[in-house]
Amino acid sequence: MSIHGEKKREHERLHRLMKKIRARLRHIRADDPLTANEKNSRDVWFRPWVRPLRARGWRANHITAIGLLLVVLVQLSIWNVPRLIGWPGHFITLLLGIAALFSDAFDGAMARYRDPVSGTDDVTGFGTFFDHFRDAAFSLVFGINTLFGFENISAVEYLFVFLSGITYTMVAVVEVAKNWSAPSSSEEVPAVSLSTRMNTFFLNHMQTTFWGRVQSGLLASAVISLFIGNAFGVKEFSELSLPLFGAQIALTVHSIITERLEVGV
């Protein structure tokens, strides 16, 4: 069997697979420039803004960068502004945090938008890493500043925040241990740069699933609730943060056990 013949058959199999995919997309009426998987769910709410922004050259990473900038502004304002103007400063911090959360939903819609001319979307490995980095920075800024900035934090709140951070980090650690393959030593396989391997890894293994979004949403809601409860003295929000943290911890542990450890990692 010649190498040329194998490549030809592989090309034919790939061509048949692409035909099936196109037929499936037509079946679910995915002719819109938005990619099919989330076209009719949350992306539809961002459609009026996604198209004109992409037409003007905006990309998903631009939105993520704005979200990260908002997180930096949260860190700078979370104590400095209240010292100047009192409790309304915490309200400004809260608005900046909500805007940063909005960027998390918006950049995904931007990334999944399929250009009507080129037919390509904006989902990349770096964009996936950048998005996760912004999310982690958001949770760290609100979580750490709330824990160590207010005097009325209880031991239970400390425990829940600690467990939440540990379990959330373990998801990434186990995912890397499971899917990060070592460079091949075979002479027939060309060497692949570290940046290429990282891009491939994040693109293929770190895309957020539905339950991953639920976990992220629970964590963001929990740290925001804990911040509101302690910044404004609203005990109900502090109490609400505990079941939110608990649900996030439970879902994350379940995810690690059932999905991340299935190959014995």
Side-chain angles (χ1 to χ4, degrees):
M1 184 180 295
S2 66
I3 297 178
H4 177 73
E6 291 180 357
K7 289 184 176 180
K8 183 177 180 180
R9 279 187 286 274
E10 183 65 27
H11 178 76
E12 291 174 350
R13 285 195 293 268
L14 180 61
H15 180 69
R16 289 195 296 269
L17 177 61
M18 291 302 297
K19 287 182 66 176
K20 291 181 180 179
I21 292 175
R22 293 191 188 100
R24 177 59 181 166
L25 292 177
R26 286 194 299 270
H27 177 70
I28 61 176
R29 297 188 298 180
D31 52 350
D32 192 275
L34 287 170
T35 49
N37 58 344
E38 296 200 26
K39 168 192 168 186
N40 293 317
S41 57
R42 64 174 183 166
D43 284 359
V44 69
W45 302 102
F46 298 100
R47 194 177 302 173
W49 297 281
V50 168
R51 287 177 174 143
L53 286 175
R54 284 293 300 271
R56 289 168 173 78
W58 282 73
R59 309 299 289 268
N61 287 344
H62 296 152
I63 304 300
T64 309
I66 292 174
L68 185 59
L69 176 61
L70 289 169
V71 172
V72 172
L73 292 176
V74 166
Q75 176 61 43
L76 294 175
S77 68
I78 197 166
W79 300 121
N80 295 322
V81 176
R83 289 193 187 103
L84 296 175
I85 62 175
W87 71 264
H90 289 312
F91 185 70
I92 293 175
T93 299
L94 179 61
L95 291 180
L96 290 171
I98 292 174
L101 287 177
F102 179 79
S103 75
D104 184 32
F106 196 17
D107 62 3
M110 287 281 285
R112 288 183 292 271
Y113 179 82
R114 182 177 297 165
D115 186 88
V117 177
S118 65
T120 59
D121 57 33
D122 202 25
V123 179
T124 64
F126 175 76
T128 304
F129 164 78
F130 199 18
D131 181 76
H132 287 310
F133 180 80
R134 186 267 324 280
D135 295 345
F138 173 88
S139 298
L140 283 172
V141 165
F142 267 101
I144 292 177
N145 279 286
T146 301
L147 280 184
F148 299 102
F150 297 102
E151 298 179 353
N152 52 341
I153 297 292
S154 68
V156 175
E157 290 169 342
Y158 273 110
L159 177 63
F160 270 73
V161 173
F162 175 76
L163 291 176
S164 177
I166 290 296
T167 55
Y168 204 72
T169 302
M170 281 301 298
V171 171
V173 171
V174 176
E175 192 68 57
V176 171
K178 175 183 174 182
N179 294 297
W180 184 273
S181 57
S184 175
S185 59
S186 174
E187 296 181 357
E188 299 179 359
V189 179
V192 178
S193 67
L194 178 61
S195 61
T196 300
R197 291 181 63 214
M198 290 184 64
N199 185 76
T200 302
F201 169 76
F202 277 100
L203 187 60
N204 294 334
H205 301 295
M206 296 300 287
Q207 298 296 326
T208 308
T209 63
F210 170 77
W211 288 111
R213 293 194 191 100
V214 172
Q215 293 166 31
S216 298
L218 287 170
L219 179 57
S221 300
V223 294
I224 287 289
S225 296
L226 188 62
F227 172 79
I228 293 174
N230 288 277
F232 300 101
V234 184
K235 184 180 179 181
E236 290 76 10
F237 276 94
S238 296
E239 294 173 346
L240 175 63
S241 70
L242 298 181
L244 291 173
F245 277 123
Q248 180 264 313
I249 293 168
L251 281 176
T252 305
V253 170
H254 180 268
S255 177
I256 292 173
I257 293 174
T258 60
E259 298 178 20
R260 307 307 198 264
L261 299 181
E262 59 186 8
V263 294
V265 175

